[in-house]
Amino acid sequence: MPPDSESLVLLPATVLAEAIRTRTISCREVMSAFLDRIEQRNASFNAIVSLQDRDRLLDEAAQRDGDIASGRQLGALHGLPIAVKDMANTKGVRTTFGSPIFRDFVPSFDSLVVARMKQAGCIVIGKTNVPEFGLGSHSFNPVFGATGNAYDATRSAGGSSGGAAVALATSMVPVADGGDFMGSLRNPAAFNNVFGFRPSQGRVPAWPVNDSFVAQLSTEGPMGRSVGDVTMLLDVQAGYDPRSPLSLDDGQRFNEENLRAYDARNTRVGWLGSLDGYLSMESGVLQTCEAGLSRLISLGCDVEPTALGMPPDAVWDAWLVWRRWLVSASMAPHIKAGHRNLMKPEALWEFDQAQTLTGSQTLQASQTRSAFYQSMLGLFERFDVLALPTAQVFPFPAELRWPSVIAGKAMDTYHRWMEVVIYATFAGLPCISVPVGFGPTGLPMGMQLIGKPRGDLAVLQLAAAYETTLADLRIGRA
């Protein structure tokens, strides 16, 4: 007997996909259940925006059922409802980037990652909310307003994939896409008790590549309520595309069978913690993450504290140059078009800061980044995985633009409070945020597991083993 609507939305995406494939449940039943859930819960959280017409979506689901009846299975996502992050172009569906400049913009094409998800059979039901231009890990904007945290709607959902994380945690979607520059897949996953995976640079290629896409640091990737769901979506998103110059062509595939073929015993985990006190941490963050380390130890992992191996302030200074340079390039067309008055202060700050950058500063930052990569390689001679918190604070009040003080230390930029996430990004390494539990005030936290270059599968395998210890955390059951 098929599950009832309330139970159906709680099923893992992999289980839903298999049930659709075997005709245990219909695509129309799945669509109806998730649309009912959105109607019940979205008003409280504002996670999904630009929701499409219910009757049209049900008709499209019925068409997918017809495909199944005729023996046509489009792919792994056949019939699954997906709300695409509002930073990715969706043909015929409004795409605002959280900016009033694009309030009424309806693309005539799909971005590459959206096209791949559609080819795999998903049905795009709408978008998930983001910060304006994806800047700042707090999902609010002047077009749709703020997204509330899944565990306390008065708190931040994180970002920029904040809407995606909340939609997952409240079971309004079965699986979600997102993007990650400065932790945008990882921070909201931590804030909402789900999994967020930043793939290796080039694993999930992007197209079109233009001035609005930060090709050297940003990547798209999957989020899910289980590692199996994350892996399924990654397999759809990943793969070589000649239009993307950084695209990987190593033929790796990702599936649940590969996840199971793994033994976590004797995995060497280097715990970076707060980088010996360099990173300011809200009280309770490190202690909550240490519970996650205990779970790894229970699997037979060897956990050892370690240092970054390079002065973290030098890494931050180089990061600022790269970020200002790249974000400024994406903001320049809007400034040139006379839209400065429609842009958030943080975006203007990024642009203005970049105007004084010199060629020598950029070259020095590039050299520092290369040195940092070599330093990380040195750590991976001793460790299989590096671990550190996903965030430096628990979800903060939604009315704040960003945390200005952590543990008594003033944050000198609007994104300094997110410094903990830059290391995987700057080295182009695969990294997953895994749930570790709830802090003193009952709000979620996550821990990053950073893998070796192009070691995406190994990171997912360890995360899947770790997931077996999380039954008490009720992942995706907010």
Side-chain angles (χ1 to χ4, degrees), residues 272-347:
L272 293 167
S274 64
L275 306 187
D276 198 25
Y278 168 79
L279 295 170
S280 296
M281 296 280 177
E282 183 178 346
S283 177
V285 169
L286 291 173
Q287 293 85 343
T288 307
C289 288
E290 285 165 4
L293 295 178
S294 296
R295 294 174 188 271
L296 289 173
I297 292 170
S298 74
L299 294 170
C301 296
D302 297 322
V303 178
E304 178 186 335
T306 191
L308 187 62
M310 184 170 177
D313 54 346
V315 179
W316 175 253
D317 289 343
W319 167 269
L320 284 181
V321 172
W322 271 80
R323 182 176 171 93
R324 288 168 181 169
W325 172 43
L326 295 171
V327 174
S328 173
S330 67
M331 296 298 106
H334 311 308
I335 299 288
K336 186 178 292 187
H339 295 315
R340 188 179 177 97
N341 64 318
L342 297 176
M343 298 168 67
K344 67 190 290 186
E346 293 83 357

Side-chain angles (χ1 to χ4, degrees), residues 228 231-232 235 253-260 457:
T231 303
M232 179 179 72
D235 197 55
R253 297 301 303 271
F254 303 92
N255 55 57
E256 282 201 284
E257 184 177 348
N258 288 338
L259 293 183
R260 291 192 295 268
L457 181 57

Side-chain angles (χ1 to χ4, degrees), residues 14-88:
T14 52
V15 173
L16 283 174
E18 178 65 12
I20 287 172
R21 188 187 69 79
T22 59
R23 302 177 70 179
T24 304
I25 55 177
S26 70
C27 299
R28 202 176 193 281
E29 287 172 320
V30 170
M31 179 63 71
S32 181
F34 278 100
L35 291 179
D36 286 349
R37 184 74 164 188
I38 291 168
E39 184 176 340
Q40 294 163 7
R41 307 212 68 183
N42 194 48
S44 299
F45 300 99
N46 192 35
I48 295 177
V49 298
S50 300
L51 183 66
Q52 300 299 285
D53 178 73
R54 182 186 180 98
D55 289 340
R56 185 182 70 76
L57 292 173
L58 290 172
D59 286 345
E60 192 169 349
Q63 292 171 18
R64 291 287 193 276
D65 285 325
D67 290 332
I68 291 283
S70 301
R72 294 190 299 271
Q73 172 81 15
L74 296 184
L77 306 181
H78 189 105
L80 293 185
I82 299 287
V84 175
K85 183 176 178 179
D86 204 20
M87 294 292 293

